[in-house]
Amino acid sequence: MLLKNKESILRVTAPDKNEFARLWKEYRPFVIEGVANNWEAYKNWSNDYLSNKCGNNKVPVRTEVNKPVDNLDDCGYSKREFYQAEEMKFKDYIDLMSGERQEIGSRYMSQVDLEKYFPQLTADVNYPYFFNRKPVVNFWFGCSGINTHLHFDDEHNIFAQIRGRKKLLLFPPTNYLAFYPPLKEKGAMLHFSKVNPRQPDFELFPDFPHQEQQEIILEAGEMLYIPPFWWHWVIGIDETISLSFWHDLKKIDLFRQKKAILTVMDVFYHSKTAAFA
């Protein structure tokens, strides 16, 4: 098995379950090579293939309201009312993706349940059962420049890049408050940060741990393991398709992953304190 360091993030080629278990317990992200590039999804998921296979499927598409089209990489933190959802045929969304950037605007087919909305495509994916439990699989399909705000997930996330490249900024969860979650703002999601990690405003956010940042460009055919509660910001370099495999965080996992339980206690304490403030 080949191990190498690149961009300060560990890379491993086709790990077995034992090797994967050893690595995820270290509570740090790592890239998995030699797995997703063998899937039919990686080989076949062109726009024509997808349109022919499931173009008539109705899919939810997210739009960020009041967001300028020429500023798609804006990283303001997320509130639920900033988003509108529209439903359209998948082939119509693909047509928008193939058109001018002005046409697609800030639309993003994000976090769409693969099995629910694309049952015709599941056979093209070999689920990575590293955790011996069935994951929730989300489909992400967006144009270049579309990003997700700085946030964390409370699941194990195996993020597979199927087509195109994505740039990710990753931060270890050293201190929940240092990421300036919108604790006192109505309607805000507490797993998001107010900080734009590409251009941090240190007058507003002086404790933001920019020095802890790890940067990676994830290529098509690669997967990235993102531990629970690790902060990450993601942007598409090209037109991209990704799959995220979310595995529930079990109580026993908190004791297996180094420092994870301290992170959970930190997040839980401050989020609950804000809720009753």
Side-chain angles (χ1 to χ4, degrees), residues 70-103:
D70 62 354
N71 194 24
L72 294 181
D73 60 350
D74 176 48
C75 297
Y77 69 96
S78 181
K79 289 188 177 182
R80 291 177 178 85
E81 64 263 29
F82 289 173
Y83 298 106
Q84 289 181 349
E86 59 181 312
E87 193 174 72
M88 63 175 65
K89 287 186 177 180
F90 188 38
K91 63 182 179 182
D92 293 337
Y93 180 75
I94 292 174
D95 289 342
L96 282 174
M97 293 291 297
S98 302
E100 297 294 328
R101 187 181 175 107
Q102 187 73 25
E103 294 178 15

Side-chain angles (χ1 to χ4, degrees), residues 132-180:
N132 294 317
R133 51 187 181 262
K134 192 174 186 297
V136 173
V137 187
N138 293 307
F139 190 123
W140 310 74
F141 186 6
C143 68
S144 63
I146 286 287
N147 70 278
T148 57
H149 307 303
L150 183 61
H151 70 288
F152 65 77
D153 305 307
D154 58 6
E155 302 94 353
H156 300 282
N157 185 359
I158 300 177
F159 190 83
Q161 193 61 22
I162 303 301
R163 203 173 86 196
R165 298 167 297 160
K166 279 187 171 174
K167 179 179 178 180
L168 296 96
L169 304 181
L170 300 153
F171 299 83
T174 51
N175 180 349
Y176 179 54
L177 294 183
F179 290 89
Y180 297 91

Side-chain angles (χ1 to χ4, degrees), residues 216-236:
I216 184 173
I217 293 177
L218 197 66
E219 303 280 350
E222 297 179 339
M223 299 194 300
L224 175 67
Y225 170 67
I226 305 175
F229 300 98
W230 267 68
W231 295 83
H232 51 285
W233 174 87
V234 188
I235 191 169

